C-alpha cells in the first residue's frame, strides 16, 4: 500500500486474494445447514470457484496459490462447516501429488498418470484422498506393495480411520515395497477395494476403513523423497486444520453474540449479564490469537524455501496446538452460553463441537505438537540435553 | 487546527528521513548528550507532529522506519521508559487538545526527559469508575483553585508537570462536568506521598491538592470536555504499540526459557508441560501483537488491539508464576525489600516478578473493564444495567 515503510517480517495480514476467495466461498455456502451442505457443493466451490485447484501449479491447470490462500478457504469452510472434500482432496492429496511430480522412481507410466490426475483434481473432475490413518503425522505406510513378475503392481492392507475415502474416486496410497522401501501408489480401479464407513464422532467428515486385497495400482514414486512429499502434505493439512478451527471460532463468537442479544431471562437480555459478556469477550481475544498464529504458520509454509526447516515446523506445530486447543474451549463456552438448546441435535453447535474434538486426533495430537514445539524451541524434557535439534531461541525469529 | 498538508510520495519521505538522519549524525555524533534535543529540533522525535513541534508533518506509520534508520546509523534508541507519561500520554494529549503555546512550552522538555510528567486521574473513590471523580476545580477570575486527592500516581515524586482531571461542574451529569488541566507539580499546594507496594517498591504516590492555583491558560480544551480529553490520554496509554516488532523470547518468557535451559536439575515432567504451555501462549500473544502492529502500520488500526492488554497481562502472570515455582530454593527467598537498594528490574528474582505481575490485570484498566469494553464496542452485546447517564454527579450515591 502506498505510504508504507518497507516490511521485513512475515506478513500476518490476510492477502487480498485470500480475503476475496473466502468471501466467495461464504457467498456460495450461504443458506446451507452447517454440516449438511448442498449436494452440488463441491461442483460449485471446488470446480466453479477453482478451489479444488488452488494449490495446483498453473502448469497443471491450477491457480498456483499458496498456503495463505488455502488457509483462508479452509477457514471459510470451517466457519460454515461446509461438507466438501477440500481438506482431504484439495489440500492433502493434491499436495502429495504435486510434491511427487518430478520424482523419477515411479513406473514408466507414472509421470503421465500424475499429470493427468493432478489436472483432474484441479478441475474438480475427480476427488482423491491419501490412504493413511487420520492420526498419521509422519506418513508411515499402512499398506503393502506387491510387484508381480508380469510387472503389475497390487496393493494389500487394511487401513482404518481414513478421512475422505467415502467421497474419493482416486485413492493415493503410501506403501512399503518388498524391500521395505517407501513408495506411493495410485489405485487404478475398484477391484480389490472395499471402503466401509465407520461410525464416527464427526459424522460431517467421517472416517472409513479401506481394505485393499490385491488392488491393482500404478507406482507413482519411491524412496525418501516420496515420504518427504507425504510429510510435507501432512504439514500443509495441519495448517489447514488449524485454519478450519479459526473459522469455527469465528462462528462461535458470532453465534454466541447473536444468542446473547436475543435470549431474555429475568426481564433482560442474557447479554447484559457480565459473566456472559466477559466469557464471549475472552472467546474473541482467543480468536484474535488463533488467527495470528495460523496466519504465521501459513506464511511460514509459503516462505519455506527461504526459512530454516525447523522454523517452519515450529510455526506449524505452534498453530496446531494453539488453534485447536482454543477452538475446543471456545465451542465448549458457546454451549454454555446457549444453555440447553445448544445441546439439541437440531442446533448446529454439536457438529462444530464434535469436529473440534475429533480434529484433536488428526495429524498429531496436541501432545505430539507440544513436544515438537519443545524440541524445536530448545525446551528439553527432563533427561534430554539442551541444544538437540533446536531453532536458536532468544531473539531469533522471522516473525 | 490547520488542515493536514498534502501527503508526500513515499520516495520523498524516505529521502527526507535519510537526509535528516545523516545530518543529525554528522552534526552531533551518535554519542552526543545533546542528541535527543537535536532529534526534536530536526523533526525526528514524533514524525507525525507538525514541523516546529518535533515532527515533519508526515504519517505516523513512518516512525518505525525512522527508528530503523537511526539504528542503522548507530544512534542508540532512547531509553523507552525515561518519561513514559510525558512522551506516551501527555504529548499526544496536548497535541490533540492543547494550545500551540502549551505545545511549544512542553513538547521538547518532555521528549528529552528534562521535565517528567505524571497523570492525576484516579482517586481513592474513583478507580474503574474514573468518571465519578471528586477533585474540585473552582474558577476564581482567570485562575482555577483545586482541592482533592489523587492516588496511584506514578512518577509524581519526580514530575515537573501533570495532567489533572478535575470536576468543574458537579451539578452536571458526571461525564459532562470534568475539565483537564496541566498542573505544575512544584505548586506549594501539591503534596506527594509515596505508596509502598507488596513488592517493596514505591512506584506510585498519593497526591494531596490543597488550594492549588492553575491559570486558565493551562486548561486543555473547553470546560466540561475533560472526559473527552481523558479518553485521548487513556487511548494512548493502552495502545502501547512498539515501533519495532518484539523478538521471540523477549522479557519474562525469555527469562523462563533461559532458566529451564540452564537448570536441568530443576526439570520435572509436570513443570516441562507448564513451561512449554507458557512458551506457546507467549508466542501466540507475540504473534497477535505483531499482527496488530502490522495492521496499524498499514494505516488501518481496527479493533484487533482491544484485547492486547488483557492477553499481555494474563500471559505475563502465567509465565511469572511458572518461573517463580520452578526453583524451590529461590521461592523461599527474596532479593531486597528496600526499593532504594533493589537491583535493576532485569536482575530481580522470580519472586519479585511474580508479585509485580499480579497488578498488571488491574493497573491501566482492569481486565474486567477491558472485557466489558470488548463486549460493548467490538461485539455490540447488550449493555449492563446502570444508573441513567443524565444523573447529575451530585445525586450519585458515594
Amino acid at each position: 500500500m502506498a505510504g508504507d515503510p518497507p516490511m521485513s517480517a512475515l506478513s500476518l495480514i490476510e492477502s487480498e486474494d485470500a480475503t476475496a476467495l473466502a468471501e466467495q466461498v461464504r457467498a456460495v455456502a450461504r443458506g446451507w445447514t452447517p454440516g449438511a451442505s448442498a449436494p452440488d457443493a463441491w461442483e460449485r466451490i471446488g470446480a466453479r470457484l477453482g478451489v479444488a485447484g488452488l494449490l495446483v501449479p498453473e502448469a497443471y491447470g491450477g491457480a498456483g496459490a499458496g498456503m495463505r490462500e488455502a488457509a483462508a478457504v479452509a477457514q471459510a469452510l470451517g466457519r460454515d462447516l461446509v461438507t466438501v472434500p477440500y481438506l482431504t482432496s484439495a489440500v492433502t492429496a493434491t499436495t502429495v501429488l504435486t510434491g511427487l511430480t518430478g520424482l523419477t522412481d515411479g513406473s514408466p507410466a507414472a509421470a503421465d498418470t500424475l499429470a493427468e490426475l493432478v489436472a483432474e483434481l484441479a478441475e474438480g473432475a475427480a476427488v482423491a484422498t491419501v490412504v493413511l490413518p487420520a492420526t498419521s503425522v509422519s506418513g508411515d505406510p499402512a499398506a503393502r506393495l506387491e510387484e508381480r513378475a508380469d510387472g503389475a503392481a497390487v496393493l494389500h492392507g487394511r487401513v482404518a480411520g481414513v478421512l475422505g475415502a467415502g467421497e474419493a474416486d482416486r485413492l493415493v496410497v503410501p506403501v512399503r515395497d518388498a524391500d521395505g522401501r517407501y513408495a506411493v501408489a495410485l489405485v487404478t480401479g475398484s477391484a480389490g477395494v472395499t471402503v466401509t464407513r465407520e461410525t464416527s464422532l464427526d459424522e460431517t467428515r467421517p472416517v472409513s476403513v479401506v481394505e485393499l486385497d490385491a488392488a491393482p495400482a500404478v507406482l507413482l514414486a519411491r524412496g525418501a523423497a516420496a515420504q518427504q512429499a507425504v510429510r510435507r502434505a501432512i504439514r500443509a493439512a495441519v495448517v489447514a486444520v488449524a485454519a478450519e478451527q479459526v473459522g469455527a471460532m469465528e462462528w462461535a463468537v458470532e453465534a454466541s453474540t447473536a444468542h446473547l442479544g436475543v435470549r431474555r431471562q429475568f426481564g433482560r437480555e442474557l447479554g447484559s449479564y457480565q459473566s456472559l459478556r466477559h466469557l464471549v469477550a475472552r472467546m474473541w481475544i482467543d480468536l484474535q490469537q488463533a488467527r495470528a498464529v495460523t496466519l504465521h504458520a501459513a506464511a511460514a509454509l509459503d516462505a519455506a524455501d527461504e526459512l530454516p526447516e525447523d522454523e517452519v515446523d515450529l510455526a506449524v506445530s505452534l498453530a496446531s496446538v494453539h488453534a485447536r486447543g482454543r477452538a475446543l474451549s471456545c465451542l465448549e463456552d458457546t454451549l454454555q452460553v446457549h444453555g440447553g438448546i445448544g445441546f439439541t441435535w437440531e442446533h448446529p453447535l454439536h457438529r462444530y463441537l464434535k469436529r473440534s474434538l475429533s480434529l484433536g486426533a488428526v495429524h498429531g495430537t496436541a501432545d505430539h505438537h507440544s513436544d515438537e514445539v519443545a524440541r524445536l524451541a530448545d525446551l528439553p524434557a527432563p533427561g534430554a540435553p539442551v541444544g538437540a535439534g533446536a531453532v536458536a531461541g532468544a531473539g531469533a525469529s522471522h516473525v | 487546527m490547520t488542515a493536514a498538508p498534502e501527503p508526500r510520495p513515499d520516495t520523498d519521505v524516505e529521502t527526507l528521513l535519510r537526509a535528516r538522519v545523516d545530518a543529525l549524525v554528522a552534526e552531533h555524533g551518535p554519542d552526543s548528550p545533546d542528541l535527543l534535543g537535536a532529534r526534536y529540533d530536526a523533526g525526528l522525535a514524533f514524525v507525525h507532529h507538525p514541523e516546529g513541534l518535533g515532527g515533519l508533518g508526515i504519517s505516523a506509520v513512518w516512525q518505525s522506519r525512522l527508528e530503523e534508520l537511526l539504528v542503522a546509523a548507530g544512534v542508540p534508541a532512547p531509553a523507552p521508559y525515561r518519561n513514559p507519561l510525558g512522551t506516551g500520554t501527555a504529548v499526544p494529549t496536548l497535541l490533540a487538545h492543547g494550545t500551540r503555546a502549551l505545545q511549544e512550552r512542553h513538547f521538547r522538555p518532555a521528549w528529552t526527559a528534562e521535565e517528567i510528567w505524571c497523570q492525576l486521574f484516579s482517586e481513592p473513590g474513583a478507580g474503574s469508575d474514573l468518571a465519578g471523580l471528586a477533585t474540585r476545580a473552582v474558577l476564581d477570575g482567570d485562575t482555577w483553585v483545586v482541592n482533592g486527592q489523587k492516588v496511584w500516581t506514578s512518577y509524581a515524586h519526580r514530575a515537573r508537570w501533570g495532567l489533572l482531571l478535575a470536576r468543574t461542574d458537579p451539578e452536571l451529569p458526571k461525564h459532562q462536568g470534568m475539565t483537564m488541566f496541566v498542573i505544575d507539580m512544584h505548586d506549594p499546594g501539591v503534596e506527594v506521598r509515596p505508596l509502598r507496594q507488596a513488592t517493596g517498591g514505591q512506584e506510585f504516590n498519593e497526591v494531596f491538592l490543597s488550594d492549588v492555583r492553575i491559570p486558565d491558560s493551562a486548561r486543555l480544551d473547553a470546560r466540561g470536555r475533560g472526559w473527552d480529553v481523558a479518553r485521548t490520554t487513556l487511548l494512548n496509554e493502552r495502545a502501547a504499540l512498539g515501533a519495532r516488532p518484539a523478538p521471540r523470547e523477549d522479557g519474562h518468557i525469555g527469562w523462563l526459557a533461559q532458566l529451564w535451559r540452564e537448570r536441568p536439575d530443576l526439570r520435572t515432567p509436570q513443570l516441562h508441560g507448564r513451561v512449554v504451555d507458557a512458551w506457546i501462549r507467549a508466542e501466540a500473544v507475540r504473534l497477535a501483537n505483531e499482527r496488530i502492529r502490522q495492521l496499524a502500520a498499514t494505516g488501518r488500526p481496527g479493533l484487533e488491539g482491544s484485547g492486547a492488554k488483557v492477553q499481555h497481562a494474563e500471559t505475563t502472570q502465567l509465565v511469572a508464576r511458572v518461573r517463580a515455582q520452578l526453583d524451590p530454593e529461590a521461592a523461599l527467598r527474596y532479593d531486597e525489600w528496600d526499593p532504594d537498594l533493589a537491583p535493576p528490574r532485569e536482575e530481580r528474582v522470580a519472586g519479585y516478578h511474580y508479585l509485580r505481575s499480579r497488578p498488571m490485570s488491574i493497573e491501566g484498566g482492569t481486565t474486567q473493564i477491558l472485557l466489558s469494553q470488548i463486549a460493548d464496542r467490538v461485539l455490540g452485546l447488550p449493555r449492563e444495567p446502570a444508573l441513567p447517564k443524565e444523573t447529575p454527579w451530585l445525586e450519585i450515591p458515594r
Side-chain angles (χ1 to χ4, degrees), chain A residues 3-24:
Chain A
D4 291 352
M7 294 212 282
S8 50
L10 283 180
S11 172
L12 300 183
I13 301 178
E14 295 88 338
S15 71
E16 283 184 17
D17 286 346
T19 308
L21 254 176
E23 280 169 17
Q24 287 175 338

Side-chain angles (χ1 to χ4, degrees), chain A residues 129-392:
Chain A
T129 199
V130 179
V131 179
L132 283 170
T135 51
S136 177
V137 182
S138 55
D140 284 346
R144 182 171 63 82
L145 169 70
E146 182 196 343
E147 287 165 284
R148 295 180 170 164
D150 61 358
V154 295
L155 307 184
H156 303 279
R158 181 182 185 278
V159 190
V162 182
L163 285 170
E167 308 92 304
D169 20 50
R170 306 279 188 275
L171 298 178
V172 178
V173 193
V175 292
R176 290 249 176 250
D177 69 9
D179 300 320
R181 290 177 69 195
Y182 195 97
V184 180
L186 174 70
V187 171
T188 49
S190 53
V193 179
T194 313
V195 175
T196 312
R197 180 177 164 136
E198 305 188 58
T199 306
S200 306
L201 179 65
D202 177 9
E203 289 280 283
T204 69
R205 191 163 57 197
V207 287
S208 305
V209 177
V210 175
E211 290 173 274
L212 303 165
D213 185 11
V218 61
L219 179 63
L220 296 176
R222 197 187 323 240
Q227 180 155 23
Q228 181 71 316
V230 173
R231 267 203 224 103
R232 289 251 168 91
I234 291 175
R235 191 170 67 174
V238 168
V239 175
V241 163
E244 261 189 36
Q245 290 289 271
V246 173
M249 291 173 81
E250 290 181 322
W251 175 85
V253 171
E254 193 182 290
S256 297
T257 303
H259 180 74
L260 290 180
V262 162
R263 173 77 173 166
R264 299 183 74 93
Q265 288 287 262
F266 306 109
R268 53 182 170 122
E269 293 132 315
L270 273 203
S272 65
Y273 286 91
Q274 191 174 94
S275 63
L276 296 172
R277 281 158 52 89
H278 286 191
L279 195 62
V280 182
R282 285 186 179 283
M283 283 165 54
W284 181 85
I285 290 174
D286 281 357
L287 166 58
Q288 303 316 309
Q289 283 185 13
R291 207 195 294 281
V293 300
T294 305
L295 281 165
H296 180 230
L301 275 180
D302 282 345
D305 291 341
E306 295 112 51
L307 294 173
E309 188 81 356
D310 279 358
E311 187 64 50
V312 179
D313 288 340
L314 175 57
V316 169
S317 282
L318 183 90
S320 184
V321 174
H322 185 278
R324 287 189 298 176
R326 294 306 174 93
L328 186 63
S329 292
C330 227
L331 292 167
E332 290 170 355
D333 289 342
T334 302
L335 176 53
Q336 189 68 14
V337 162
H338 279 76
I341 199 155
F343 202 60
T344 62
W345 197 266
E346 285 67 39
H347 196 286
L349 174 51
H350 70 105
R351 301 187 203 274
Y352 287 91
L353 191 61
K354 291 163 185 172
R355 172 161 296 194
S356 190
L357 185 64
S358 184
L359 282 177
V362 172
H363 296 321
T365 59
D367 250 30
H368 165 83
H369 285 283
S370 289
D371 282 348
E372 281 294 281
V373 170
R375 179 178 69 81
L376 295 162
D378 193 22
L379 295 169
V386 170
V391 176

Side-chain angles (χ1 to χ4, degrees), chain A residues 1 3 5 10 12 14 257 268 271-272 274 277-278 282 284 289 311 377-380 384 386 395 399, chain B residues 10 61 248 260-261 267-268 272 284 287 290-291 294 298 300 303 311 314 368 372 376 379 382-385:
Chain A
M1 195 176 126
L10 283 180
L12 300 183
E14 295 88 338
T257 303
R268 53 182 170 122
S272 65
Q274 191 174 94
R277 281 158 52 89
H278 286 191
R282 285 186 179 283
W284 181 85
Q289 283 185 13
E311 187 64 50
D378 193 22
L379 295 169
V386 170
V399 181
Chain B
D10 311 354
V61 303
R248 181 179 284 162
W260 184 263
R261 291 178 189 128
R267 297 176 197 160
T268 69
H272 187 234
L287 290 169
E290 174 58 21
R291 176 171 145 81
Q294 287 185 11
T298 66
R300 38 174 168 136
L303 299 161
Q311 58 185 355
E314 294 190 340
Q368 282 65 33
S372 288
D376 289 334
L379 301 172
R383 301 242 154 194
E384 295 175 34

Side-chain angles (χ1 to χ4, degrees), chain A residues 61-84:
Chain A
M67 251 345 264
R68 287 172 77 197
E69 288 72 41
V73 170
Q75 191 172 311
L77 294 171
R79 181 173 185 167
D80 295 328
L81 210 55
V82 179
T83 49
V84 288

Side-chain angles (χ1 to χ4, degrees), chain B residues 215-256:
Chain B
D216 192 52
S217 58
R219 172 174 46 83
L220 296 184
D221 216 302
R223 175 176 183 159
R225 289 259 306 153
W227 188 245
D228 293 301
V229 180
R231 276 163 57 186
T232 302
T233 315
L234 294 170
L235 209 64
N236 280 287
E237 182 182 296
R238 284 177 193 166
L241 294 171
R244 310 161 200 243
R248 181 179 284 162
E249 291 195 7
D250 196 36
H252 294 265
I253 189 62
W255 300 331
L256 176 61

